[in-house]
Every structure is written in C-alpha cells, then in structure tokens.
C-alpha cells in the first residue's frame, strides 16, 4: 500500500525523551489508526481517528498522544511516560466501514 | 471489550497440504472478521475478510468460515506453497462508528516445508 508512508523506519529514544512517529496517507481515507506490535504478539490499538480534529483512545493509550490536524496526517508521540516503548509501530488507514491498510512501520528502540 | 484467541501459535505443513488456523471471539456484537498475512519485518497485508451475514467466503486457495453461534472463524489455505510461509493474524471488529476497532489474535507462524 504505497499510499501510507511512515517515517522514520528506525528510531531511537533516550530516557526521558519524547519522540514523534510520522504517518501520512494520500488515499483520501477518513479513518487512521496506530497499533503497537511486540515480538511474537498481535497488534494492539493505541489510538484511532475517524475525522479531522477528533480521535479516541484504543486499548493501550497510556504514555502516547496523537493529533489529527489534517486528513492525511496522524502523528504519534511516544512520551517519557511510556516506560516500555520498544516495539514495532504500525499506522493504518481506511475509508469508513472499509478494511484497514497498513504502512511499513517504525521500529522504536531505547538507547 | 473484545477478546480474540488464535490457535495454533505455530503450524508446519508439507508443500501441497492444507493449513487451518482457528480463532474464537468473545463479543457477540462483532460483525467483521479480517485475516492478515505478515512476512518478517513487513506490514500486515489483508488476504481475506468476512462479514457476519455470510458463513463462508473463498478466494482461490484461501477460504474463511464463520460460525456466529459458536463465535469462531477459521482460515483455510489449500495447496500450500513455500511463499505462504508467514505469520497470519485474525481480527474481530464490532460496530463503533465508522472506524473499525480491530482486536487481533496473537498470530500463527505458518511454515510450508518444501
């Protein structure tokens, strides 16, 4: 799905630092999502947004924040309050009521 | 909230044999069930999905069956090939606005032996 771009591909976080993961889509999708994937596990929903300037918490929102100022962009900030941030982060988007399609992911590690 | 259990966690089959992966869900309101394939280090890719008003759906070598009464659904891959080797995830979604909140199973590592 070349229409969903996540950057960077790899990211390192120092203790006490906030980092922001980028997700951009040019598919004109209304809904966007952030998932966290830990080794050997399924995906868990962090936040999702159905429309601009609106978003809802998923199952594991603590320690994360998002914004949706533009339809095509849904950045995720991993704050210092997230004590175990090392994971593979996946962004997805969809038209209303349609299947979700994923970006290539960002791998976040702690320095 | 929704809980999705997926079995088995690993599955090895000989090339040409069939593979079956099973999932159960807890929320009877769930009405959409996609399956994703994820190769190592890559994005999950949708391979097939089914809605609750349908009992079975087939796409070439891949089929999904849904039993709403028992709250379980299964992925069937026939005539397996080495390129089918990957991790497969099931998911369930209940209606919650226009965005589908997916709850994923823990994944099945499928290995197709040549």
């Amino acid at each position: 799905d070349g229409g969903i771009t996540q950057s960077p591909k790899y990211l390192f976080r120092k203790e006490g630092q906030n980092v922001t993961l980028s997700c951009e889509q040019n598919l004109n999708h209304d809904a966007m999502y952030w998932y966290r994937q830990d080794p050997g596990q399924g995906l868990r929903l962090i936040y999702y947004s159905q429309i601009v300037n609106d978003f809802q918490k998923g199952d594991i929102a603590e320690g994360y924040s998002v914004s949706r100022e533009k339809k095509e962009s849904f950045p995720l900030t991993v704050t210092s309050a997230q004590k175990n941030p090392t994971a593979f982060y996946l962004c997805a988007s969809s038209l209303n009521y349609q299947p979700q399609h994923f970006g290539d992911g960002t791998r976040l590690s702690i320095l | 909230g929704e809980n999705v259990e997926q079995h088995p966690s690993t599955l090895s089959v000989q090339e040409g044999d069939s593979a079956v992966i099973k999932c159960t869900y807890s929320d009877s309101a769930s009405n959409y069930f996609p399956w994703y394939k994820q190769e190592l280090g890559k994005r999950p890719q949708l391979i097939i999905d089914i809605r609750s008003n349908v009992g079975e759906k087939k796409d070439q070598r891949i089929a999904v069956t849904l039993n709403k009464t028992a709250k379980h659904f299964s992925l069937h891959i026939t005539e397996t090939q080495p390129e089918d080797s990957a991790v497969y995830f099931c998911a369930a979604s209940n209606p919650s606005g226009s965005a589908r909140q997916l709850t994923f199973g823990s994944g099945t590592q499928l290995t197709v032996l040549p």
Side-chain angles (χ1 to χ4, degrees):
Chain A
D1 296 55
I4 304 172
T5 303
Q6 288 187 243
S7 62
K9 190 170 183 178
Y10 299 96
L11 186 59
F12 298 91
R13 194 192 89 169
K14 294 180 182 178
E15 196 152 341
Q17 185 182 45
N18 293 353
V19 292
T20 298
L21 285 60
S22 171
C23 179
E24 304 275 332
Q25 54 96 2
N26 62 3
L27 302 168
N28 201 33
H29 285 175
D30 300 292
M32 297 188 74
Y33 314 78
W34 275 105
Y35 292 91
R36 170 181 173 140
Q37 186 175 29
D38 293 282
Q41 297 187 32
L43 285 70
R44 292 181 291 168
L45 182 64
I46 305 172
Y47 269 98
Y48 68 100
S49 168
Q50 299 184 61
I51 56 173
V52 173
N53 292 323
D54 186 52
F55 48 83
Q56 286 80 41
K57 293 181 179 180
D59 299 320
I60 55 166
E62 187 174 349
Y64 301 97
S65 66
V66 293
S67 62
R68 186 87 186 274
E69 297 177 2
K70 299 185 296 182
K71 186 176 185 178
E72 58 269 24
S73 178
F74 191 41
L76 173 74
T77 297
V78 184
T79 74
S80 57
Q82 174 48 248
K83 298 305 180 187
N84 184 23
T86 298
F88 189 45
Y89 290 86
L90 286 156
C91 177
S93 69
S94 69
L95 288 169
N96 289 340
Y97 303 107
Q98 295 303 308
Q100 294 177 28
H101 298 273
F102 287 86
D104 284 330
T106 293
R107 198 165 295 278
L108 176 62
S109 302
I110 299 178
L111 278 178
Chain B
E2 176 67 278
N3 182 49
V4 177
E5 301 274 347
Q6 182 172 347
H7 299 281
S9 56
T10 61
L11 178 61
S12 293
V13 299
Q14 290 294 137
E15 183 176 359
D17 287 350
S18 295
V20 180
I21 303 170
K22 299 181 180 181
C23 289
T24 60
Y25 61 98
S26 60
D27 189 346
S28 56
S30 289
N31 63 357
Y32 174 68
F33 307 92
W35 285 88
Y36 286 86
K37 174 183 179 183
Q38 187 179 30
E39 296 177 6
L40 189 63
K42 302 275 184 75
R43 69 178 79 184
Q45 294 198 306
L46 180 72
I47 56 172
I48 196 166
D49 57 8
I50 191 168
R51 287 165 172 77
S52 58
N53 58 346
V54 175
E56 184 174 357
K57 183 176 178 181
K58 189 173 181 180
D59 182 4
Q60 299 183 339
R61 297 186 297 110
I62 295 173
V64 57
T65 57
L66 171 66
N67 183 325
K68 286 173 56 180
T69 303
K71 289 189 283 187
H72 69 71
F73 56 112
S74 300
L75 177 71
H76 304 253
I77 306 174
T78 59
E79 300 171 22
T80 53
Q81 302 165 4
E83 51 265 39
D84 293 329
S85 295
V87 179
Y88 290 81
F89 292 98
C90 63
S93 171
N94 55 15
S96 175
S98 57
R100 295 186 178 279
Q101 296 181 65
L102 294 178
T103 300
F104 283 82
S106 55
T108 296
Q109 173 69 62
L110 173 65
T111 302
V112 180
L113 305 168

